[in-house]
Amino acid sequence: MCRLFAVTSDTPLSPMKALEALDAMREGHDGSGVGLFMRDLGGPFAAIKGAPILSGIFTDAGLKKLDTLMMDIGFMTKYRMGIQLPETPPAGTPSRDIYLIRAYDYPRAWENLAEEEKHRRLLKVRLELREMGEADGDMIVFSFWPDVIMIKEIGDPLTVGRYMDLDRHGITARIIMAQGRQNTNYAINLYACHPFFLEGFATMTNGENTAFIPVKEFLESRGFDGYIGFQSDSEVFVHILHYISTFLDLPLDAYKHIITPLPDEALNSHPDASVLRILKQSCRRLIIDGPNCIIGNLPDGTLFMGQDSKKLRPGIVGGKPGIWAFSSEVCGLDTVIPDRDKSKDFQPMHLDMAMVGPDRKEVKVCRQTDRLSRQA
Amino acid sequence: MSANGQIIPSSLSISDLPWQIRWNQDKCTLCGSCTAVCPVNSIELGVFRKREIKAGTGFAEKPSSSQTIRYGIRQRTSPAYACVGCAMCSLVCPNDAIAPVRNDGSDKLRYHINQGGQPKSRGGRRNDPSGLLDQIKFIRISMLTDPALDAGRHTFDVNTLLGRVLEPRDALKHQREHGWMPPVREIYPLVIGGMSFGALSPTMWEGLQMGVAYLNEEMGMPVRICTGEGGCPPRLLRSRFLKYVILQIASGYFGWDEIIHAIPEMKEDPCAIEIKYGQGAKPGDGGLLMWHKVNKLIAAIRGVPERVSLPSPPTHQTQYSIEESVAKMIQSMSMAWGFRVPVYPKISATSTSLAVLNNLTRNPYAAGLAIDGEDGGTGAAYNVSMNHMGHPIASNLRDCYLNLVKVGKQNEIPLFAGGGVGKNGNLAANAAALIMMGASGVQTGKYIMQAAAGCLGSEQDRCNICNIGLCPKGIASQDPRIYRRLDAEKVAERVVDLYLAFDMELRKILAPLGRSTSLPIGMSDALGINDYHAAERLGIRYVV
């Protein structure tokens, strides 16, 4: 079973902090894999916030292919961070040629494009690279987006972090999401490792989504390029979030209503009953079913945690103004923010969603029985 | 009359019949109950004469003969009176002295049941006990990583939707702009399929309706029943119970006048309108209510003369094509209730199901599609239709669902599958398999008759005389002497029993799969089958 940890902090933190939190929760995961999502970057990336950053794993041949393609499109390298690895990887971790974190300048031809169009094109480039890589096995691309870095690897989270010497490379971020464990229900595959990312949205999940196939089939049939992959049954959570935000223009609190709609009795007495009933019916295919704790991050930096309707996966939020963390277990929280007021720790129940906005001042809890923040 | 029995081509012996009566002289008290109850008069009181010759061993004693007479039960072998194996004789016998036994060998009756040049017609099913649905297993069980749910204690939301469900963007747009929202009913996914008014006896009908009302009002289960063709009793049409009823209009339009006339006085809208284009057990064939059943009441409600056979034509005669039907009939039916009632067609599973479905996707008023497979039951049809026509439901439904997935309209047009659901008694498992293959719900008729009213029919040509008004249990007869055998209250009780039992079994399937908050429509990753080709065809896992 996975363990999740996410932190949002005014001061950029090293990803090792999050991996230490995962390590504190090691009884809950088997050390089979690690995934890291970092946004609002510090260090050398702080000065180039608007530049898209490509994160992935490449062979030497793959890198050549990448360079050719990027040159063809017109991307120029703006900043490159190579991760030097010791010769022998830890047991169970494959030997890799290059972990690439590279920031680019947009092609000249893109300069006058609207932000939205740029983003759409970034997605297309990422998908093209991923497809090329899948054909020859020489490129694995996790993200290609401004101010975002992703790292995924097979092996024990802390051991992998030390092996990659993440501290030394000066990677820091104000928002970090980390997950420990490889895929649960399907074959081992780095793409199946949480967190998942799509056009600025990221989620990671603890548990199982038994509604995976119907949700996948629904999303695939929307005709959107980005809804691919599906190597993990939890990957659809980020796609659903993306779908309701970009296609339906719904607020974040509607996300919870889509994936875990209220039972009818509760719906009848809800102040937004009419719209929620329509959402429940028309988005019925997006109802997830399984024990899940979902932690996610929106393009504006909002970090959130929600539970499935069975509330069979633990999750806790705590911290203080300026730094808040979302964790599967309280010991993860203790590792990173030991000096918080523990009496204010909050464990979202099945109707709750906890959010910390980009200002990091407070934890906001919205309950499904409350009014929607914005009418659909 | 010839002294010796005349041997003609159709003279059959008891051993040529599919069902043979075993009668025990020692136990029989000659009460006559069995012969009185036999619906097809295949047994009669017989007089057996026995001549016994005594030949002495010596010379003095002369041979002599004596005559004895005894009374007993004789089985008739004429094809018109052949035993149908219903075993009503056993049920009424106080001493267990009589029972029908199935002939192990191939019977000869089948070659002689076309007397007068009329091919055999019967009710019942395809008479093939095998079925693909029973081979399917549920394989994605949450075990160690994610513990299974408790079927007894967790709350499960298994209701489904009947009605056109708009694509999310359209739904929100309609809501914002206060546009017309297609009516959607939240119902229980097991629907009592159409069994015509007139085909079923009044007691059976009453029992089913009472059971459904109890389930809705006392048990909180939104169970729905389809009327079948033939109309609906006027009092029910004007009652608050109408909301639990799906009214059917078929190609004969029988009883439809009665319904239309009642509209101004209806207190509630019906749950939905089902337009029957075909029945899976006899695709391309219409309904057939034979004259036996058309008594005064049925004639009045159907608006026809008494004692005439009522064949529905195979197609809706006023419609030129399915396209026209969809465009006109669905719209006019919707209009009749102010577009507040879902209207959907029911078709036989055939190779053209996809064409019909594609047509429906383009019609904003189409509220769903019911597809009926070949294993479904029927009240009256020709033997050859039932045994040799039709398309299995599993692959037909799957094709339709995957087609909707391809065009991104899955569950927008809910698919309801019927035809052999629970034909071997595995109602919940069959229903769950169809739902996981893409059905929003299932329809069943024969299982209800078997479970709620004790229908004796089997998949081995037992009974199957639903068509001639002699139903031994009084389920499909309009003869008061017969239908009084059936207690409507008891039928209602059994309807409730079977729904509650079904619900528990469905939970027992869903709980280990980890599903509780929505019906697992299209959850095909949970299905496995040990037939490679079936797995390939259905797009489910091949497991051995």
Side-chain angles (χ1 to χ4, degrees), chain B residues 12-20 75 77 103 105-108:
Chain B
L12 300 175
S13 71
I14 292 172
S15 60
D16 295 329
L17 301 176
W19 295 93
Q20 296 160 357
Q75 181 174 4
T77 56
N103 188 352
S106 166
D107 65 89
K108 295 287 177 290

Side-chain angles (χ1 to χ4, degrees), chain A residues 184 208 210-211 213-214 217-218 221-222 233 243 247-248 264 278 281-282 284-285 288-289 309-310 313, chain B residues 140 142 145-146 149 165-167 169 175 186 405 408 410 412 513-518 521 523 525:
Chain A
T184 304
E208 179 184 23
T210 56
I213 292 293
E217 286 176 343
F218 176 78
S221 60
R222 296 307 94 188
D233 58 359
Y243 176 74
F247 282 75
L248 305 185
D264 285 345
I278 286 165
Q281 289 181 351
S282 66
R284 178 169 56 143
R285 294 146 288 186
I288 56 127
D289 217 337
S309 53
K310 302 179 187 89
R313 282 289 172 276
Chain B
R140 184 177 169 161
S142 293
T145 53
D146 297 299
L149 301 174
V165 180
L166 292 179
E167 193 267 340
R169 268 182 297 187
Q175 199 264 344
E186 192 162 319
V405 168
Q410 59 273 50
E412 283 182 30
L513 302 179
R515 295 301 300 261
S516 66
T517 58
S518 69
I521 302 167
M523 187 189 175
D525 55 331

